[in-house]
Amino acid sequence: MPGPVDTRPSSPSAHLSPNYTRSLFPQAPAFTLDTFSNQDFIVKDFIDSLSDTAVPSNRRSGPSSQAFDPRPLIRTFEHALNRLSEVSGDLESREIELSAAVRRAEAQHTSNAQSLGCKLDETIDSFRQLDSSLNGNSHEDNDFGGNAAVKIGEKLEELDRQRVRAQDARFLIQCWLEVSERGELYLLEDMRRQASGERKVRCAQIARQLLKISQRLDPQSWGQVNGRKSGANGVNGVNGNGSSHGQRHNTREIVEKFSETLEKDLLTQFDEFYRRANFDGMRECATVLQDFGGGASVIGTFVNQHQFFIDRSQLITEEVGGDVETWERLADPDADTPGVEPSLQSLIDEVKIVVQEESAIIKRAFPYYEVVLGRFLQRVFQQSIQQRLEMVLEKANTISTLAFLRSLQAARSYISSLVDDLKAHGLTEHPDVLSSQTAVILDQQFDDLFVPYFVGSSYIEREKRNLEELYSSLLFKFTVYHSRRRKVPTTFLASLAKSGSEMLASARDAYVERLDSSDLAPQQKAMLLRVAGLKDDDNAKRQMEMELSEQDGLLSTVNAKRMLRWLAEAVGRGLELSGGNETPKDVAALLELLLMHMGELYIETALDAANDAAAAQENTKNEPDLSYLENLHSAITMMHLMLTCINTVLIPLAASHITVRREMEKTTNLAMTQMEDKVNLLMQRTIDVTLTWVGKVLATQKRADFRPKEEAGGGSWLELLQTPTCLSIFNFLTRVHNLALNALTPSQNLTIFLTEIALGVRTLLLEHFKKFQVSAAGGILVTKDISKYIELFKGWEVESSFQPSLEVLTEIGNLFVIGPEALRERLRGKVGSMGALWEKGDLRPYVTRRDDAGSVGVQSVLNAL
């Protein structure tokens, strides 16, 4: 009888059988394949459960002293092995069945794959055949496949075009019959009222075709202007209105009125779209209006009604303002250019923004946007910018010529930057490169702005007039000072100087007349007087009677630099404005102006004055005044500055024109040679004046200077360092040296100049000591004088070849102080070393001037000489 059900947690014995229950007596284990398929199956637990079922429960609970009985375990494990054999057999049967099922499935899969592969090959072959037929690669029959499809498509397109033409012709005939018979255009009116853009384009095309038909079939309407008229039949027997007795209508007038109405409606609609920023609608209207005069009306409407021109129309007409200080700086040649006029700058800045913004709108609103942009740019440049530019330049011209030129340069530079910025932006092609057509329009409009100011030689004449006014103002006091100098021509050179003075006076008079001219603006006159250093007087002729100082007649390197700076500004401005086409001729004109004012009227006038002063000192009874040498340094410096400017700035700019360049070089060389000749003449006259005065001073030497009386009290003459004549010459030549050093600075010219004076003085001294009787005591004074002269010459910047010749003076002094025997020995040793300079007979005049020349010893020396 079965025991009670075990309700404890499952134990390993539960894996044996789901219906297993424990009885009082051991039973054979029962289990299936599911027992071993469970994931929780553990072999150890399985063995333990078999062991537990093998021993009865009463024996398990008994005393442990009973002997172990293996028989229950043996029986249990034998039954378990039998059952495991059965389960293994069942498992092998199932494995065989499953293997057979797998083989059958694999065979079926292989068959299916082969069947699908064949179908795929058939599909690929079909596709290739279809592709070949569509591409016309089939050589069997060209009337089938792709060629046939293409031919059918072409025929269909042709038939469709014929159908459309037939419909258009039918509609056109209907419209013509309507306008010619009834004088109405209801069909076109219906089409016009439709909002479709294509319909409006078609309406405009039909209206244009109706005008052509009217011109051919109804020529009488083209020959009359007012109303309607009855008449004969039309051309070739065709009645203009379709009836021989009906009323004829003026078809031309009807169609043109319809076209005008259509155009006005489209323009009104375009304006409404523009105000609502409906760019698609604007584009449709612009497309239709392109058939009306190429779209000129819609372009004009867009451009003329643009808010920019409406807002700027009043601002452009306003007078040019600006503060007085800015205009004064603009007219001041020594001040920096303040830049472009503020109102013009504001206009250009606004133009840049407006054009960039409107270009995007134009591209979206017009199919022919490049044409519209071109018209817009033309209006901006020709109306807005040009009008304001003219007003600014007119205002600047009332200030001064320089103010006009500077304003022109600043405006051109700023507008050029505007054009470059617009090109860089791209406008309608933004962010791509600007189209060539628009770029050409920009360049053309930019050039047209400034054409009036560069016609012929108008520009360079303004530059020349400006420089002439500035140069004349700067040199006014100088020219007045030198024009007052009295000139009495006694030689050819003096007559040339007089002609230069006459030219100076004519330049002065022309400048005075210019200042008194009513054409000269008050601001410009004030500026010129300020440059000239004059008071603001209404009468310029009274300025000529002013008191002038000697400083006004001297050259000024500062003024020369100002003149060259003004010239450089004019040259730079010309290069920027003229474009380089007339640059060689322009710089040649400026070179001529520079040589005339800075060369002839300034430097040469000062050199002529210095030469006159030097000539006046040749026969003076007092020590000559060589202060005119102070101008020589400035003259040479200015000549160097002017030549450097010409060679580095002006002549290279004429390199493209060989003839002009050669002429400029020839003119420059001639002018520089003329100035250098005057410098050389001045230096030679200075040398002559110096030597003449030294000769006069030497002539004042007293006979007793070299024969001092030996008084009873001793030799007071020994206290004398030099004779008064020597000291006078030393001081005079020292002053000459200092003046020459300041005038010529250490240079080759200074060396030559001082060497010539030193040689001349040495010659005078050698002749001078031949004239005086010298005592033994006087010989000491001679040596002191000669030492002073040598000291003077050694401190001069003379040629190195002159220094050895000073030894001659030393030896001449020694001839007067040594005794006869020493004299004989000295002459025997020195004549050979001085043989290149002296002969024996050359020393005889000096030896004979000794007081003891009649003694036996000295006579023997003289006989030897």
Side-chain angles (χ1 to χ4, degrees):
M1 180 174 182
V5 178
D6 189 4
T7 60
R8 293 176 299 175
S10 64
S11 62
S13 60
H15 293 285
L16 298 178
S17 175
N19 298 323
Y20 175 79
T21 57
R22 181 174 297 177
S23 62
L24 182 62
F25 299 99
Q27 296 180 359
F31 46 84
T32 61
L33 286 176
D34 295 335
T35 303
F36 302 98
S37 300
N38 191 359
Q39 294 180 353
D40 296 332
F41 175 78
I42 300 175
V43 175
K44 181 178 180 299
D45 295 340
F46 177 73
I47 298 300
D48 291 341
S49 62
L50 291 177
S51 300
D52 291 340
T53 57
V55 180
S57 58
N58 55 358
R59 293 185 180 181
R60 287 197 302 269
S61 60
S64 58
S65 60
Q66 292 182 1
F68 174 71
D69 186 7
R71 288 176 294 180
L73 293 174
I74 292 173
R75 287 193 295 269
T76 300
F77 282 112
E78 286 178 352
H79 289 296
L81 287 175
N82 293 332
R83 181 58 185 163
L84 287 175
S85 298
E86 295 175 359
V87 171
S88 176
D90 295 339
L91 179 61
E92 185 176 358
S93 299
R94 291 184 62 183
E95 182 180 359
I96 293 172
E97 292 177 359
L98 291 174
S99 298
V102 169
R103 286 193 295 271
R104 289 193 300 271
E106 289 178 348
Q108 185 65 33
H109 172 72
T110 302
S111 176
N112 293 339
Q114 291 177 352
S115 176
L116 292 175
C118 293
K119 291 181 179 180
L120 178 62
D121 293 338
E122 292 176 358
T123 303
I124 293 174
D125 293 339
S126 300
F127 174 78
R128 288 176 179 174
Q129 292 177 2
L130 178 61
D131 183 64
S132 299
S133 63
L134 291 176
N135 293 332
N137 297 328
S138 177
H139 300 285
E140 296 177 358
D141 191 353
N142 292 331
D143 293 334
F144 295 95
N147 290 333
V150 172
K151 290 180 180 180
I152 292 172
E154 292 176 352
K155 290 180 181 179
L156 289 175
E157 290 178 357
E158 180 65 24
L159 291 174
D160 183 67
R161 285 194 295 268
Q162 292 178 1
R163 182 184 64 83
V164 172
R165 284 198 299 269
Q167 292 177 350
D168 292 344
R170 177 176 175 275
F171 184 77
L172 183 62
I173 293 172
Q174 290 176 349
C175 292
W176 170 249
L177 292 176
E178 187 179 39
V179 70
S180 61
E181 293 179 357
R182 293 183 293 176
E184 300 291 345
L185 285 173
Y186 291 119
L187 295 176
L188 284 182
E189 287 290 345
D190 293 339
M191 184 181 293
R192 181 177 66 85
R193 294 188 182 96
Q194 296 179 5
S196 173
E198 295 181 358
R199 290 286 186 176
K200 292 178 181 179
V201 172
R202 184 62 186 152
C203 188
Q205 293 174 351
I206 292 175
R208 189 172 63 252
Q209 292 173 355
L210 286 175
L211 285 176
K212 293 180 180 179
I213 295 174
S214 174
Q215 187 175 7
R216 180 176 179 84
L217 299 182
D218 190 13
Q220 294 182 4
S221 64
W222 290 78
Q224 69 180 32
V225 180
N226 299 320
R228 302 170 180 172
K229 179 181 178 182
S230 300
N233 294 338
V235 180
N236 298 328
V238 180
N239 194 308
N241 56 10
S243 174
S244 59
H245 302 288
Q247 188 179 28
R248 176 177 290 110
H249 302 278
N250 192 331
T251 57
R252 174 189 179 185
E253 182 178 355
I254 295 172
V255 176
E256 286 181 347
K257 286 183 178 180
F258 173 79
S259 299
E260 292 176 1
T261 303
L262 176 61
E263 184 177 6
K264 291 180 181 178
D265 292 345
L266 290 172
L267 290 175
T268 303
Q269 189 175 9
F270 178 86
D271 187 61
E272 293 177 356
F273 286 147
Y274 178 64
R275 297 181 187 279
R276 296 199 302 264
N278 186 350
F279 301 114
D280 294 335
M282 293 172 63
R283 192 177 187 88
E284 288 184 1
C285 294
T287 303
V288 178
L289 289 169
Q290 189 175 12
D291 290 333
F292 295 92
S297 59
V298 68
I299 296 175
T301 301
F302 176 79
V303 174
N304 297 333
Q305 297 182 2
H306 197 280
Q307 193 64 31
F308 171 76
F309 302 107
I310 298 175
D311 295 340
R312 276 286 174 177
S313 60
Q314 296 179 352
L315 297 178
I316 292 175
T317 58
E318 292 181 356
E319 294 185 0
V320 179
D323 53 9
V324 179
E325 182 181 356
T326 301
W327 289 110
E328 289 181 353
R329 287 178 55 201
L330 198 63
D332 187 355
D334 297 317
D336 295 333
T337 304
V340 67
E341 198 272 333
S343 63
L344 180 60
Q345 180 180 2
S346 173
L347 172 63
I348 295 173
D349 293 341
E350 185 176 356
V351 165
K352 176 181 175 181
I353 298 173
V354 169
V355 171
Q356 290 178 355
E357 292 177 350
E358 288 302 316
S359 60
I361 297 176
I362 291 173
K363 185 173 184 180
R364 296 178 61 184
F366 292 91
Y368 39 94
Y369 53 85
E370 285 194 354
V371 178
V372 181
L373 180 61
R375 287 282 300 278
F376 186 77
L377 291 173
Q378 291 175 0
R379 178 71 180 276
V380 167
F381 276 85
Q382 295 176 6
Q383 177 175 324
S384 302
I385 297 180
Q386 184 174 0
Q387 291 181 6
R388 195 61 185 176
L389 175 64
E390 291 175 352
M391 296 180 65
V392 170
L393 294 181
E394 287 177 1
K395 172 68 174 180
N397 197 32
T398 61
I399 301 299
S400 70
T401 306
L402 179 60
F404 176 87
L405 293 172
R406 285 181 167 180
S407 297
L408 181 63
Q409 179 187 13
R412 192 177 191 277
S413 175
Y414 206 76
I415 297 175
S416 176
S417 63
L418 167 67
V419 174
D420 293 339
D421 291 341
L422 293 180
K423 289 181 179 179
H425 180 269
L427 300 182
T428 54
E429 308 300 327
H430 180 76
D432 296 332
V433 181
L434 185 68
S435 65
S436 58
Q437 178 180 350
T438 307
V440 170
I441 293 176
L442 283 173
D443 293 335
Q444 184 64 39
Q445 294 301 315
F446 175 73
D447 294 338
D448 291 344
L449 284 176
F450 299 95
V451 165
Y453 310 107
F454 299 99
V455 176
S457 59
S458 59
Y459 168 73
I460 192 61
E461 290 299 327
R462 285 182 182 271
E463 288 285 5
K464 288 174 61 178
R465 184 166 66 251
N466 171 58
L467 289 176
E468 287 177 355
E469 292 172 351
L470 293 177
Y471 287 170
S472 299
S473 298
L474 186 63
L475 303 180
F476 180 72
K477 287 186 177 181
F478 180 84
T479 55
V480 172
Y481 177 87
H482 285 280
S483 63
R484 294 177 181 177
R485 290 190 298 113
R486 299 180 58 185
K487 293 200 175 285
V488 181
T490 56
T491 61
F492 174 71
L493 291 176
S495 63
L496 291 180
K498 181 180 180 182
S499 64
S501 178
E502 292 175 353
M503 182 181 65
L504 196 68
S506 63
R508 177 202 62 201
D509 295 339
Y511 174 71
V512 172
E513 292 179 1
R514 174 64 175 162
L515 287 179
D516 289 335
S517 174
S518 59
D519 298 336
L520 193 65
Q523 296 91 338
Q524 185 173 3
K525 181 179 179 180
M527 179 56 65
L528 294 179
L529 291 175
R530 187 159 58 251
V531 172
L534 303 177
K535 297 180 180 179
D536 192 0
D537 195 344
D538 293 337
N539 191 349
K541 292 183 178 180
R542 287 200 296 267
Q543 303 281 5
M544 297 174 58
E545 301 174 0
M546 62 183 172
E547 295 183 1
L548 299 175
S549 63
E550 293 185 0
Q551 193 67 27
D552 295 325
L554 298 179
L555 294 176
S556 172
T557 308
V558 175
N559 288 343
K561 292 180 179 180
R562 291 174 70 186
M563 297 173 72
L564 294 178
R565 184 168 61 251
W566 297 341
L567 176 73
E569 179 184 345
V571 172
R573 184 166 48 242
L575 289 176
E576 181 179 348
L577 296 180
S578 64
N581 296 329
E582 299 295 330
T583 298
K585 295 181 180 180
D586 292 348
V587 295
L590 296 179
L591 172 64
E592 182 180 355
L593 184 69
L594 178 66
L595 292 177
M596 183 181 70
H597 284 82
M598 188 172 178
E600 295 184 32
L601 296 180
Y602 200 32
I603 299 177
E604 290 190 25
T605 299
L607 292 177
D608 290 338
N611 275 307
D612 293 340
Q617 300 299 321
E618 290 181 354
N619 298 319
T620 183
K621 295 181 180 180
N622 299 321
E623 181 178 321
D625 182 10
L626 303 183
S627 58
Y628 59 83
L629 288 177
E630 296 177 359
N631 252 355
L632 185 59
H633 174 67
S634 299
I636 295 175
T637 302
M638 291 165 60
M639 289 169 57
H640 175 71
L641 290 175
M642 183 172 65
L643 183 61
T644 302
C645 176
I646 293 172
N647 290 333
T648 58
V649 177
L650 298 181
I651 292 181
L653 294 177
S656 59
H657 201 300
I658 298 178
T659 304
V660 175
R661 178 187 177 92
R662 290 178 178 175
E663 189 64 27
M664 291 175 64
E665 292 176 345
K666 180 180 177 181
T667 304
T668 302
N669 293 335
L670 183 62
M672 295 304 297
T673 300
Q674 186 173 346
M675 285 183 280
E676 289 174 356
D677 290 342
K678 292 186 177 183
V679 172
N680 293 335
L681 177 61
L682 178 61
M683 294 175 66
Q684 186 59 51
R685 281 184 171 176
T686 303
I687 293 173
D688 295 340
V689 169
T690 302
L691 295 180
T692 300
W693 180 253
V694 171
K696 289 182 179 181
V697 175
L698 288 175
T700 61
Q701 186 91 49
K702 296 179 180 180
R703 295 286 180 178
D705 286 346
F706 300 127
R707 300 183 67 185
K709 296 180 181 181
E710 297 184 7
E711 301 175 355
S716 60
W717 54 272
L718 291 175
E719 298 178 1
L720 295 176
L721 297 178
Q722 289 86 25
T723 62
T725 301
C726 176
L727 290 176
S728 177
I729 293 175
F730 179 85
N731 294 331
F732 171 70
L733 292 180
T734 300
R735 287 192 293 272
V736 171
H737 173 262
N738 293 334
L739 288 173
L741 186 62
N742 293 331
L744 300 176
T745 65
S747 61
Q748 186 66 23
N749 291 332
L750 177 65
T751 301
I752 296 174
F753 177 75
L754 294 179
T755 302
E756 289 292 328
I757 293 178
L759 288 173
V761 173
R762 192 199 67 169
T763 302
L764 292 175
L765 291 176
L766 292 176
E767 293 297 326
H768 176 68
F769 289 119
K770 292 179 183 180
K771 301 176 182 179
F772 292 90
Q773 196 74 21
V774 181
S775 64
I780 296 175
L781 292 176
V782 170
T783 56
K784 289 183 178 180
D785 284 356
I786 290 177
S787 298
K788 194 66 173 178
Y789 293 134
I790 293 175
E791 176 188 350
L792 173 67
F793 292 141
K794 284 186 177 181
W796 283 15
E797 295 79 1
V798 295
E799 295 178 356
S800 58
S801 60
F802 174 75
Q803 296 295 342
S805 66
L806 296 178
E807 296 181 4
V808 176
L809 292 176
T810 304
E811 294 302 323
I812 294 299
N814 292 333
L815 292 178
F816 295 108
V817 296
I818 60 178
E821 293 299 328
L823 179 62
R824 181 183 297 106
E825 295 297 329
R826 196 170 189 85
L827 291 178
R828 185 181 297 121
K830 288 293 183 181
V831 170
S833 63
M834 296 188 301
L837 300 174
W838 294 89
E839 298 291 339
K840 288 185 177 182
D842 295 334
L843 299 178
R844 184 180 182 88
Y846 301 102
V847 178
T848 59
R849 305 310 297 176
R850 291 170 56 118
D851 279 349
D852 59 350
S855 64
V856 176
V858 175
Q859 285 294 321
S860 63
V861 174
L862 291 175
N863 292 333
L865 293 177

